Amino acid sequence: MAPQGWNLTGGSAQQAGRRASAGAAQQPLPWDTLEAANRAHPSSRMGRVPSRAGARASGAGGAASGPASSAVPAGVPENAVTVTQALEFADSALKGIPMLTVLGEVSGFRGPNARSGHCYFQIKDDSSAVDCIVWRGTYAKRTFDLRDGLQVLLTGQFNLYKPTGKMSFVARSIAPVGEGLLRQQVAALAEKLRREGLMDEARKRRIPVFCTRVAVVTSLSGAVINDVKRTLARRNPLVEIVCVGAKVQGEGAPEELIAALGRAAALKPDCILLVRGGGSFEDLMTFNDEALVRAVASCPVPVVTGIGHEPDTSICDMVSDRRASTPTAAAESVAPALQELIDVLNQREQRLGHAFSAQTEQASTQLATSSDRLARAMTTYVAHARLALDAAAARPCLASPFAMVERRRAELAQTEERLARAATQMVERPHADLARLAERLAQSTTGLGSKQHALGLAATQLKAVGTRLLAKPQAELARAAASLDALSPLKVLGRGYAIAYGPEGVRTSAASFTPGDNLRVRLADGEVGATVTAVTPNPADAR
Amino acid sequence: MAQEAKPVAELTYKEASTELEQIIRALESGDMELEASLESYTRGVELLKSLRERLTTAEQKVSVLLADVDGSTQLVPGEPADTTDALNL
């Protein structure tokens, strides 16, 4: 903006004028007292009109000239007028000029005066400039901000400040034209869209910290696209760039940009960079186009804007998801620098190492603990087992296995001894008893002599009786025995007869035998065993 | 890693980076089987190596989206940025 401003200003004289007016504004407020001055010197019209020669003389002589001087120097023509009168003429002439509407560029604008609130500046065109005053009340009713370089339409009248003879244009109303008008319209549009909520922070989407694919919507012929590429190539070459070309200024630019945004969004990149290099306010007007602004706001992919340079703000910037001050800044904002990624990787490497060694340490600690516990448990178990074993081993049956036998042996010996004693007693006691009995028997036989004699007697008697009684039966028995003896078969056998016995008893028939049969043969003094060799029945007996 | 892990080379930088972060967090949480943690660690180291390589060998990829007359679009390879420090006047 500035260079353009300077171009418009043109020559150095203009600059000088600007400086002069700036200086004047700092002087003790000549204009503020303008109206007061008019009132303060009403007598000036009544004063003598000094002659031109007088003026010259007073100038040469150094004498003070003014309404107070009553003496009219010699040689002053009658038609000469005083400065005041001259200014009166001028003033009335200026007042005769009707209300004017002047087109000019604001210059030397320094804002309203701190004390009075009035504004003093200049308006100019290519070849002329005039001081301008905007009273506080008028300034308060303005619809846009005044600043240097702004084209404005001022409606008002000229005014002459007599104490300094300075002429000013007093503006009763101000209206913007050109860029000023545009700015006003832009501001109105921005306000409208703000009220619609298009600029709400809440509707702005988060841009990924690391966009790996980025669509760049801008002119492909300008330096901007290369700036973006170069910025990202240096900062982070991992970011893939898709260039989507569109006209960025002039007729049809908004439509091309809208179409390009649509095509870019269709690729579903991580974000869209809507960028444009610096330019005049008019150049950047494209990005204040309502349709484009709405397209940016409704773009399905987050949009990062970088339009113009630092102070420039377009409505696209206001509705975008992130606003960067320049295309380069926009490019830098979509991905971390390579070094940051390296730092992150370094950090992660450390974390990975720590985490893993922590894991293994934890595991090995657990293992050590388990090992300790195992060892303790095992020791305890073994100790218990040993105690049990020791207890078992200490049991007498195992400690001295022969003790049991010995005990039994001792018991047996004892029993044996008792047995022996018992046996001895058993033998000795009857002996003793017998001895005692023999003794008692011997003592008891003393009265037996008489009884023995009686008994001998009785025995003799009994013998005699017995012999008597037996004599007859004895004789009968002898007779019977002789008879029996005569009849005995044995007597027959004595004569050479034999008796044959089969298994069933006596056999009387030869026919009852068959050769091979066994038989017994009773003889007088014994028996013989025989086997039948032949059977020969008597012919007389055969029938 | 529950699902079958993709070969590291097939992952994009961001995917690999995300997986690495997840692995580290899982390891840092400390409730992982030792075998699993060893596996994760190995994978993590592999990812880390691949990511580093990519950073050192990264080359800018630029394409241009062209609009045809019929309204269709076409993506063609574009010139990467000239990053030589020579003064381009």
Side-chain angles (χ1 to χ4, degrees), chain A residues 208 210-213 220 226 228-234 236-245 260 263-264 267 270 338 341-342 344-353 355-356 359-360 362-363, chain B residues 13-14 17-18 20-21 23-28 30-34 37-38 40-41 44-45 48 51-52 54-55 58-67 73 75 79-85 88:
Chain A
F210 185 176
C211 299
T212 44
R213 195 165 190 235
L220 294 190
N226 281 325
V228 169
K229 284 200 255 179
R230 196 168 320 168
T231 302
L232 280 173
R234 291 212 170 116
N236 192 333
L238 288 168
V239 180
E240 183 189 339
I241 298 174
V242 179
C243 307
V244 187
R263 278 186 285 138
L267 294 175
D270 289 333
L338 223 49
L341 294 179
I342 291 171
V344 166
L345 281 188
N346 289 342
Q347 266 176 13
R348 283 185 175 160
E349 188 169 27
Q350 286 198 343
R351 280 171 62 202
L352 185 66
F356 182 61
Q359 278 274 325
T360 47
Q362 192 192 333
Chain B
Y13 184 91
K14 207 184 272 184
S17 177
T18 309
L20 177 60
E21 180 63 28
I23 283 177
I24 294 173
R25 291 209 178 147
L27 276 173
E28 281 173 342
D31 39 39
M32 209 187 236
E33 290 289 341
L34 190 63
S37 78
L38 180 61
S40 290
Y41 176 73
V45 169
L48 200 64
L51 287 171
R52 272 198 199 291
R54 289 184 211 201
L55 285 186
E59 273 179 18
Q60 190 175 44
K61 189 180 168 198
V62 175
S63 50
V64 180
L65 187 67
L66 295 177
T73 56
L75 206 57
E79 280 290 302
D82 177 13
T83 48
T84 54
D85 285 329
N88 291 322

Side-chain angles (χ1 to χ4, degrees), chain A residues 93-170:
Chain A
L94 284 176
K95 284 205 164 65
I97 302 173
M99 193 82 99
L100 292 177
T101 296
V102 180
L103 171 65
E105 184 191 321
V106 176
S107 170
F109 182 76
R110 304 159 55 79
N113 180 274
R115 198 165 60 87
S116 64
H118 308 319
C119 297
Y120 308 103
F121 53 95
Q122 282 197 313
I123 51 170
K124 63 183 183 182
D125 57 21
D126 285 349
S127 53
S128 310
V130 65
D131 288 331
C132 184
I133 302 172
V134 176
W135 300 128
R136 185 173 57 197
T138 309
Y139 185 69
K141 280 183 264 177
R142 78 197 183 283
T143 54
F144 62 103
D145 280 336
L146 290 171
R147 59 181 178 81
D148 283 359
L150 202 63
Q151 291 281 323
V152 288
L153 282 174
L154 299 173
T155 304
Q157 279 187 299
F158 284 106
N159 185 299
L160 193 67
Y161 181 56
K162 294 189 192 75
T164 56
K166 197 159 188 166
M167 185 187 75
S168 305
F169 186 79
V170 179

Side-chain angles (χ1 to χ4, degrees), chain A residues 414-443:
Chain A
Q414 226 171 8
T415 309
E416 191 180 15
E417 197 183 333
R418 279 171 63 200
L419 185 61
R421 254 203 320 272
T424 314
Q425 275 177 5
M426 236 159 70
V427 175
E428 281 175 358
R429 193 180 294 154
H431 269 291
D433 284 354
L434 202 55
R436 248 191 339 267
L437 284 175
E439 198 178 333
R440 280 172 64 195
L441 188 60
Q443 284 168 357

